[in-house]
Amino acid sequence: MTSTAQRADLQAKIWKIANEVRGSVDGWDFKQFVLGTLFYRFISENFTEYIEAGDESVDYANFKDGDIPNEIIVDAIKTKGYFIYPSQLFENVAGKANSNANLNTDLKLIFDSIQNSANGYPSEQDIKGLFDDFDTTSSRLGNTVAEKNHRLAKLLSEINKFNFGNFKDSQIDVFGDAYEILINNYAANAGKSGGEFFTPQEVSNLIARLALHKQTKVNKIYDPAAGSGSLLLQAKKHFDNHIIEEGFFGQEINHTTYNLARMNMFLHNVNYDKFNIALGDTLTNPHFLDDKPFDAIVSNPPYSVNWKGSDDPTLINDERFAPAGVLAPKSKADFAFVLHALSYLSGTGRAAIVCFPGIFYRGGAEQKIRKYLVENNYVESVISLAPNLFYGTSIAVNILVLSKHKTDAKTQFIDASGEEFFKKVTNNNKLEENHIKEIIKIFDMKENIDHVAITLDNKIITDNEFDLSVSSYVEAKDTRKAINIEDLNKQIDSTVNKIDDLRNSIANIIKEMKV
């Protein structure tokens, strides 16, 4: 099955689940149950594959729990990070779901058992709380046990029908695509910003390519506002595994999204010892101080959110913000994320960050931070994208590319907002592979292209009061139709003559009527 057919099939199946299963469950909450069930199926299949090790004579699902030697359990936890008994496998639970009067509590016990299997092992923090948002005993599933079990059994049954072979062999990113479909349909109704929770896969692809451009290897990759982990995983998807030597790091403030990011890592076969996703506020409680610097940083931080800023007098002395001599405004934390990323970036690395366009031209503290970035030659490129690329916002965002290893004091500006850089799909615009390749090509060349790209000496930016707006330097194409004045005058003369003839005709008619 092709990727297009698989994606269409996935969307149809999710709609079917939504129509038949969701019932009174809020759409935004329902998302957690669908993704949690997908994850449960995946780790069951993945764990079975590990235990059977390609031996067709081994059928782990039919083993008895009590027949598993302890050394096998310990070895599996050390390798995979968790353990699942045969009776706890998705296929066994789904197969008996309709007749299980204790389904909701049995599932809770299974999820607790999987999570607790890692206790005391190096994977404990990576497994702990993974199923917290998949609460099978929640009243959101129904007021009675029978109602809860009915919805859970139907959910297990429908997810069990997904036929993409092994998740890892699928032509599409099943988890990512399912998340995108659910976000697209429920985010607006729930009053959530799509940009806060999800970066569309094609935009993630572009950002990952920019951050890793021409790097033959990086020590590790980092996202300070990790969300569901899509940006980190695009790096894995589009580059050989060996290019990222020490794994994937990220921090996320939202507990539900933090769990989704960890699930996403497992779903993409990133083992627990190759990722480290932390929970907390990146700006006021940053993790990974002992792991920096990072050779690649990717991020789509929340736009213009509030933060402590000057209310916390210690922040101005923080090594991340002190060099700029000023803090980002309390009502607009955008540049706080930028300075944080810059502080974590290695001398040979590159950061690609999605930014709200207002930060590139406003005055005050933001202008002083731009001054710091320009005078220290950290800005490699500012890329303006088309509007309507993100769910929940029509803003035409920018990508800020930072580098500490530039060989000249110049900055590139790219206007990739024109119709040649996106495809219109219903109410949204979409980047396709040819658009991404063209943007990367222009980024790489650093050559001037009329109405698209220009590379300027930093002195010009300084003279322009450190304005980093793409529109300030890339002249927009004049799409007005050229007018031939001589032809226009002839048309006017012809029209005037016709009007005069009409007037004369009307005057003659009136005379005849009077007679």
Side-chain angles (χ1 to χ4, degrees), residues 208-222:
R209 292 193 192 188
L210 288 167
L212 291 163
H213 184 61
K214 285 189 172 178
Q215 298 201 65
T216 56
K217 64 178 181 178
V218 298
N219 61 353
K220 43 193 175 283
I221 187 166
Y222 169 61

mmCIF file with all atom_site columns, all heavy atoms in Angstrom, residues 208-222:
data_model
loop_
_atom_site.group_PDB
_atom_site.id
_atom_site.type_symbol
_atom_site.label_atom_id
_atom_site.label_alt_id
_atom_site.label_comp_id
_atom_site.label_asym_id
_atom_site.label_entity_id
_atom_site.label_seq_id
_atom_site.pdbx_PDB_ins_code
_atom_site.Cartn_x
_atom_site.Cartn_y
_atom_site.Cartn_z
_atom_site.occupancy
_atom_site.B_iso_or_equiv
_atom_site.pdbx_formal_charge
_atom_site.auth_seq_id
_atom_site.auth_comp_id
_atom_site.auth_asym_id
_atom_site.auth_atom_id
_atom_site.pdbx_PDB_model_num
ATOM 1   N N   . ALA A 1 208 ? 14.543 20.282 10.445 1.00 0.00 ? 208 ALA A N   1
ATOM 2   C CA  . ALA A 1 208 ? 15.589 19.292 10.711 1.00 0.00 ? 208 ALA A CA  1
ATOM 3   C C   . ALA A 1 208 ? 16.689 19.362 9.662  1.00 0.00 ? 208 ALA A C   1
ATOM 4   O O   . ALA A 1 208 ? 17.882 19.280 9.969  1.00 0.00 ? 208 ALA A O   1
ATOM 5   C CB  . ALA A 1 208 ? 14.977 17.890 10.758 1.00 0.00 ? 208 ALA A CB  1
ATOM 6   N N   . ARG A 1 209 ? 16.300 19.522 8.411  1.00 0.00 ? 209 ARG A N   1
ATOM 7   C CA  . ARG A 1 209 ? 17.298 19.605 7.337  1.00 0.00 ? 209 ARG A CA  1
ATOM 8   C C   . ARG A 1 209 ? 18.175 20.856 7.463  1.00 0.00 ? 209 ARG A C   1
ATOM 9   O O   . ARG A 1 209 ? 19.375 20.818 7.181  1.00 0.00 ? 209 ARG A O   1
ATOM 10  C CB  . ARG A 1 209 ? 16.606 19.596 5.965  1.00 0.00 ? 209 ARG A CB  1
ATOM 11  C CG  . ARG A 1 209 ? 15.949 18.282 5.611  1.00 0.00 ? 209 ARG A CG  1
ATOM 12  C CD  . ARG A 1 209 ? 15.579 18.265 4.150  1.00 0.00 ? 209 ARG A CD  1
ATOM 13  N NE  . ARG A 1 209 ? 14.710 17.143 3.837  1.00 0.00 ? 209 ARG A NE  1
ATOM 14  C CZ  . ARG A 1 209 ? 14.361 16.803 2.606  1.00 0.00 ? 209 ARG A CZ  1
ATOM 15  N NH1 . ARG A 1 209 ? 14.795 17.507 1.576  1.00 0.00 ? 209 ARG A NH1 1
ATOM 16  N NH2 . ARG A 1 209 ? 13.564 15.781 2.378  1.00 0.00 ? 209 ARG A NH2 1
ATOM 17  N N   . LEU A 1 210 ? 17.554 21.958 7.885  1.00 0.00 ? 210 LEU A N   1
ATOM 18  C CA  . LEU A 1 210 ? 18.332 23.182 8.080  1.00 0.00 ? 210 LEU A CA  1
ATOM 19  C C   . LEU A 1 210 ? 19.340 23.009 9.207  1.00 0.00 ? 210 LEU A C   1
ATOM 20  O O   . LEU A 1 210 ? 20.510 23.386 9.083  1.00 0.00 ? 210 LEU A O   1
ATOM 21  C CB  . LEU A 1 210 ? 17.393 24.353 8.388  1.00 0.00 ? 210 LEU A CB  1
ATOM 22  C CG  . LEU A 1 210 ? 16.539 24.876 7.216  1.00 0.00 ? 210 LEU A CG  1
ATOM 23  C CD1 . LEU A 1 210 ? 15.441 25.796 7.733  1.00 0.00 ? 210 LEU A CD1 1
ATOM 24  C CD2 . LEU A 1 210 ? 17.416 25.596 6.199  1.00 0.00 ? 210 LEU A CD2 1
ATOM 25  N N   . ALA A 1 211 ? 18.903 22.422 10.324 1.00 0.00 ? 211 ALA A N   1
ATOM 26  C CA  . ALA A 1 211 ? 19.786 22.264 11.487 1.00 0.00 ? 211 ALA A CA  1
ATOM 27  C C   . ALA A 1 211 ? 20.934 21.303 11.212 1.00 0.00 ? 211 ALA A C   1
ATOM 28  O O   . ALA A 1 211 ? 22.034 21.468 11.745 1.00 0.00 ? 211 ALA A O   1
ATOM 29  C CB  . ALA A 1 211 ? 18.980 21.798 12.694 1.00 0.00 ? 211 ALA A CB  1
ATOM 30  N N   . LEU A 1 212 ? 20.678 20.293 10.399 1.00 0.00 ? 212 LEU A N   1
ATOM 31  C CA  . LEU A 1 212 ? 21.690 19.264 10.133 1.00 0.00 ? 212 LEU A CA  1
ATOM 32  C C   . LEU A 1 212 ? 22.393 19.453 8.790  1.00 0.00 ? 212 LEU A C   1
ATOM 33  O O   . LEU A 1 212 ? 23.162 18.591 8.378  1.00 0.00 ? 212 LEU A O   1
ATOM 34  C CB  . LEU A 1 212 ? 21.041 17.883 10.180 1.00 0.00 ? 212 LEU A CB  1
ATOM 35  C CG  . LEU A 1 212 ? 20.574 17.420 11.566 1.00 0.00 ? 212 LEU A CG  1
ATOM 36  C CD1 . LEU A 1 212 ? 19.598 16.268 11.446 1.00 0.00 ? 212 LEU A CD1 1
ATOM 37  C CD2 . LEU A 1 212 ? 21.762 17.003 12.417 1.00 0.00 ? 212 LEU A CD2 1
ATOM 38  N N   . HIS A 1 213 ? 22.153 20.581 8.151  1.00 0.00 ? 213 HIS A N   1
ATOM 39  C CA  . HIS A 1 213 ? 22.667 20.794 6.800  1.00 0.00 ? 213 HIS A CA  1
ATOM 40  C C   . HIS A 1 213 ? 24.191 20.661 6.726  1.00 0.00 ? 213 HIS A C   1
ATOM 41  O O   . HIS A 1 213 ? 24.931 21.316 7.461  1.00 0.00 ? 213 HIS A O   1
ATOM 42  C CB  . HIS A 1 213 ? 22.257 22.179 6.301  1.00 0.00 ? 213 HIS A CB  1
ATOM 43  C CG  . HIS A 1 213 ? 22.662 22.459 4.891  1.00 0.00 ? 213 HIS A CG  1
ATOM 44  N ND1 . HIS A 1 213 ? 22.215 21.708 3.822  1.00 0.00 ? 213 HIS A ND1 1
ATOM 45  C CD2 . HIS A 1 213 ? 23.483 23.403 4.368  1.00 0.00 ? 213 HIS A CD2 1
ATOM 46  C CE1 . HIS A 1 213 ? 22.730 22.176 2.714  1.00 0.00 ? 213 HIS A CE1 1
ATOM 47  N NE2 . HIS A 1 213 ? 23.503 23.208 3.011  1.00 0.00 ? 213 HIS A NE2 1
ATOM 48  N N   . LYS A 1 214 ? 24.617 19.746 5.869  1.00 0.00 ? 214 LYS A N   1
ATOM 49  C CA  . LYS A 1 214 ? 26.043 19.498 5.585  1.00 0.00 ? 214 LYS A CA  1
ATOM 50  C C   . LYS A 1 214 ? 26.848 19.049 6.806  1.00 0.00 ? 214 LYS A C   1
ATOM 51  O O   . LYS A 1 214 ? 28.078 19.108 6.799  1.00 0.00 ? 214 LYS A O   1
ATOM 52  C CB  . LYS A 1 214 ? 26.693 20.727 4.952  1.00 0.00 ? 214 LYS A CB  1
ATOM 53  C CG  . LYS A 1 214 ? 26.303 20.919 3.492  1.00 0.00 ? 214 LYS A CG  1
ATOM 54  C CD  . LYS A 1 214 ? 27.120 22.005 2.827  1.00 0.00 ? 214 LYS A CD  1
ATOM 55  C CE  . LYS A 1 214 ? 26.834 22.030 1.332  1.00 0.00 ? 214 LYS A CE  1
ATOM 56  N NZ  . LYS A 1 214 ? 27.582 23.104 0.637  1.00 0.00 ? 214 LYS A NZ  1
ATOM 57  N N   . GLN A 1 215 ? 26.175 18.603 7.846  1.00 0.00 ? 215 GLN A N   1
ATOM 58  C CA  . GLN A 1 215 ? 26.898 18.037 8.987  1.00 0.00 ? 215 GLN A CA  1
ATOM 59  C C   . GLN A 1 215 ? 26.989 16.523 8.784  1.00 0.00 ? 215 GLN A C   1
ATOM 60  O O   . GLN A 1 215 ? 25.968 15.845 8.692  1.00 0.00 ? 215 GLN A O   1
ATOM 61  C CB  . GLN A 1 215 ? 26.186 18.358 10.305 1.00 0.00 ? 215 GLN A CB  1
ATOM 62  C CG  . GLN A 1 215 ? 26.088 19.853 10.601 1.00 0.00 ? 215 GLN A CG  1
ATOM 63  C CD  . GLN A 1 215 ? 25.858 20.128 12.069 1.00 0.00 ? 215 GLN A CD  1
ATOM 64  O OE1 . GLN A 1 215 ? 26.710 19.841 12.903 1.00 0.00 ? 215 GLN A OE1 1
ATOM 65  N NE2 . GLN A 1 215 ? 24.715 20.699 12.397 1.00 0.00 ? 215 GLN A NE2 1
ATOM 66  N N   . THR A 1 216 ? 28.176 15.999 8.712  1.00 0.00 ? 216 THR A N   1
ATOM 67  C CA  . THR A 1 216 ? 28.345 14.559 8.506  1.00 0.00 ? 216 THR A CA  1
ATOM 68  C C   . THR A 1 216 ? 28.024 13.778 9.770  1.00 0.00 ? 216 THR A C   1
ATOM 69  O O   . THR A 1 216 ? 27.670 12.607 9.714  1.00 0.00 ? 216 THR A O   1
ATOM 70  C CB  . THR A 1 216 ? 29.780 14.241 8.057  1.00 0.00 ? 216 THR A CB  1
ATOM 71  O OG1 . THR A 1 216 ? 30.700 14.765 9.037  1.00 0.00 ? 216 THR A OG1 1
ATOM 72  C CG2 . THR A 1 216 ? 30.077 14.885 6.701  1.00 0.00 ? 216 THR A CG2 1
ATOM 73  N N   . LYS A 1 217 ? 28.138 14.429 10.906 1.00 0.00 ? 217 LYS A N   1
ATOM 74  C CA  . LYS A 1 217 ? 27.752 13.796 12.169 1.00 0.00 ? 217 LYS A CA  1
ATOM 75  C C   . LYS A 1 217 ? 27.515 14.900 13.204 1.00 0.00 ? 217 LYS A C   1
ATOM 76  O O   . LYS A 1 217 ? 28.071 15.992 13.103 1.00 0.00 ? 217 LYS A O   1
ATOM 77  C CB  . LYS A 1 217 ? 28.824 12.822 12.675 1.00 0.00 ? 217 LYS A CB  1
ATOM 78  C CG  . LYS A 1 217 ? 30.144 13.477 13.024 1.00 0.00 ? 217 LYS A CG  1
ATOM 79  C CD  . LYS A 1 217 ? 31.124 12.438 13.560 1.00 0.00 ? 217 LYS A CD  1
ATOM 80  C CE  . LYS A 1 217 ? 32.451 13.101 13.933 1.00 0.00 ? 217 LYS A CE  1
ATOM 81  N NZ  . LYS A 1 217 ? 33.416 12.138 14.507 1.00 0.00 ? 217 LYS A NZ  1
ATOM 82  N N   . VAL A 1 218 ? 26.648 14.609 14.159 1.00 0.00 ? 218 VAL A N   1
ATOM 83  C CA  . VAL A 1 218 ? 26.424 15.530 15.277 1.00 0.00 ? 218 VAL A CA  1
ATOM 84  C C   . VAL A 1 218 ? 26.486 14.717 16.558 1.00 0.00 ? 218 VAL A C   1
ATOM 85  O O   . VAL A 1 218 ? 26.173 13.524 16.570 1.00 0.00 ? 218 VAL A O   1
ATOM 86  C CB  . VAL A 1 218 ? 25.061 16.252 15.173 1.00 0.00 ? 218 VAL A CB  1
ATOM 87  C CG1 . VAL A 1 218 ? 24.987 17.110 13.925 1.00 0.00 ? 218 VAL A CG1 1
ATOM 88  C CG2 . VAL A 1 218 ? 23.918 15.259 15.205 1.00 0.00 ? 218 VAL A CG2 1
ATOM 89  N N   . ASN A 1 219 ? 26.905 15.371 17.645 1.00 0.00 ? 219 ASN A N   1
ATOM 90  C CA  . ASN A 1 219 ? 26.994 14.631 18.904 1.00 0.00 ? 219 ASN A CA  1
ATOM 91  C C   . ASN A 1 219 ? 25.608 14.250 19.410 1.00 0.00 ? 219 ASN A C   1
ATOM 92  O O   . ASN A 1 219 ? 25.360 13.120 19.817 1.00 0.00 ? 219 ASN A O   1
ATOM 93  C CB  . ASN A 1 219 ? 27.784 15.435 19.948 1.00 0.00 ? 219 ASN A CB  1
ATOM 94  C CG  . ASN A 1 219 ? 27.137 16.784 20.289 1.00 0.00 ? 219 ASN A CG  1
ATOM 95  O OD1 . ASN A 1 219 ? 26.165 17.214 19.667 1.00 0.00 ? 219 ASN A OD1 1
ATOM 96  N ND2 . ASN A 1 219 ? 27.693 17.460 21.291 1.00 0.00 ? 219 ASN A ND2 1
ATOM 97  N N   . LYS A 1 220 ? 24.684 15.212 19.368 1.00 0.00 ? 220 LYS A N   1
ATOM 98  C CA  . LYS A 1 220 ? 23.314 14.958 19.814 1.00 0.00 ? 220 LYS A CA  1
ATOM 99  C C   . LYS A 1 220 ? 22.431 16.099 19.317 1.00 0.00 ? 220 LYS A C   1
ATOM 100 O O   . LYS A 1 220 ? 22.922 17.164 18.963 1.00 0.00 ? 220 LYS A O   1
ATOM 101 C CB  . LYS A 1 220 ? 23.235 14.810 21.336 1.00 0.00 ? 220 LYS A CB  1
ATOM 102 C CG  . LYS A 1 220 ? 24.056 15.809 22.138 1.00 0.00 ? 220 LYS A CG  1
ATOM 103 C CD  . LYS A 1 220 ? 24.158 15.393 23.575 1.00 0.00 ? 220 LYS A CD  1
ATOM 104 C CE  . LYS A 1 220 ? 25.064 16.304 24.389 1.00 0.00 ? 220 LYS A CE  1
ATOM 105 N NZ  . LYS A 1 220 ? 26.493 16.044 24.156 1.00 0.00 ? 220 LYS A NZ  1
ATOM 106 N N   . ILE A 1 221 ? 21.129 15.853 19.328 1.00 0.00 ? 221 ILE A N   1
ATOM 107 C CA  . ILE A 1 221 ? 20.177 16.853 18.859 1.00 0.00 ? 221 ILE A CA  1
ATOM 108 C C   . ILE A 1 221 ? 19.215 17.189 19.991 1.00 0.00 ? 221 ILE A C   1
ATOM 109 O O   . ILE A 1 221 ? 18.856 16.324 20.797 1.00 0.00 ? 221 ILE A O   1
ATOM 110 C CB  . ILE A 1 221 ? 19.429 16.360 17.602 1.00 0.00 ? 221 ILE A CB  1
ATOM 111 C CG1 . ILE A 1 221 ? 18.551 17.470 17.003 1.00 0.00 ? 221 ILE A CG1 1
ATOM 112 C CG2 . ILE A 1 221 ? 18.606 15.106 17.881 1.00 0.00 ? 221 ILE A CG2 1
ATOM 113 C CD1 . ILE A 1 221 ? 18.061 17.157 15.602 1.00 0.00 ? 221 ILE A CD1 1
ATOM 114 N N   . TYR A 1 222 ? 18.778 18.462 20.043 1.00 0.00 ? 222 TYR A N   1
ATOM 115 C CA  . TYR A 1 222 ? 18.038 18.966 21.208 1.00 0.00 ? 222 TYR A CA  1
ATOM 116 C C   . TYR A 1 222 ? 16.890 19.866 20.769 1.00 0.00 ? 222 TYR A C   1
ATOM 117 O O   . TYR A 1 222 ? 17.024 20.646 19.823 1.00 0.00 ? 222 TYR A O   1
ATOM 118 C CB  . TYR A 1 222 ? 19.015 19.744 22.095 1.00 0.00 ? 222 TYR A CB  1
ATOM 119 C CG  . TYR A 1 222 ? 18.411 20.561 23.213 1.00 0.00 ? 222 TYR A CG  1
ATOM 120 C CD1 . TYR A 1 222 ? 17.665 19.972 24.232 1.00 0.00 ? 222 TYR A CD1 1
ATOM 121 C CD2 . TYR A 1 222 ? 18.605 21.946 23.270 1.00 0.00 ? 222 TYR A CD2 1
ATOM 122 C CE1 . TYR A 1 222 ? 17.128 20.731 25.264 1.00 0.00 ? 222 TYR A CE1 1
ATOM 123 C CE2 . TYR A 1 222 ? 18.085 22.711 24.308 1.00 0.00 ? 222 TYR A CE2 1
ATOM 124 C CZ  . TYR A 1 222 ? 17.345 22.101 25.299 1.00 0.00 ? 222 TYR A CZ  1
ATOM 125 O OH  . TYR A 1 222 ? 16.812 22.850 26.326 1.00 0.00 ? 222 TYR A OH  1
#
